[in-house]
Amino acid sequence: MIVTSESGAKLLAEAYRAKWGEAAAKSILDSWYNKSHPDDPRKPSFLVVKVPSETQTQSKFKKQVRSVMSSSNESMSDMPVVEATCGTRSHHYR
């Protein structure tokens, strides 16, 4: 799934809030409203939501919510990975 607008990011955050809690929702909105890297010239143009896989278990997004969710009973094993893209100087997909 690709999210290309603020309203889409808010809708995705609400879905994550319902399934994985407040920390997951906050991470979605933080990804939308903030630069991925401090030296990026702009905020992301879109968010890419990917099906989780073994190679993605250490993603930046999951690291952001891991400490907050570790005290809850929610599982992150089925949480899709969200990547903020197109805010860098180079438009090559990371």
Side-chain angles (χ1 to χ4, degrees), residues 20 52-53 57 62 74-80:
W20 294 289
S53 71
T57 57
K62 285 189 179 181
E74 297 291 334
S75 170
M76 292 191 311
S77 62
D78 62 340
M79 182 187 295

Side-chain angles (χ1 to χ4, degrees), residues 3-4 13 15 20-21 24 27 35 43 45 54 56 64 80-82 86 92:
V3 175
T4 60
W20 294 289
S27 291
K35 296 177 180 180
K43 295 183 284 187
S45 299
E54 290 181 22
Q56 297 168 331
Q64 290 173 347
V81 175
V82 177
C86 201
H92 297 289

Side-chain angles (χ1 to χ4, degrees), residues 3-61:
V3 175
T4 60
S5 66
E6 181 178 17
S7 61
K10 288 179 179 179
L11 180 64
L12 182 61
E14 286 302 316
Y16 271 59
R17 180 177 286 111
K19 178 103 174 150
W20 294 289
E22 188 63 35
K26 183 180 182 315
S27 291
I28 295 290
L29 295 177
D30 286 348
S31 293
W32 180 257
Y33 289 123
N34 298 294
K35 296 177 180 180
S36 296
H37 301 89
D39 59 338
D40 286 346
R42 62 194 156 279
K43 295 183 284 187
S45 299
F46 56 92
L47 302 175
V48 178
V49 182
K50 298 179 178 182
V51 176
S53 71
E54 290 181 22
T55 60
Q56 297 168 331
T57 57
Q58 296 301 316
S59 76
K60 178 182 175 185
F61 176 76

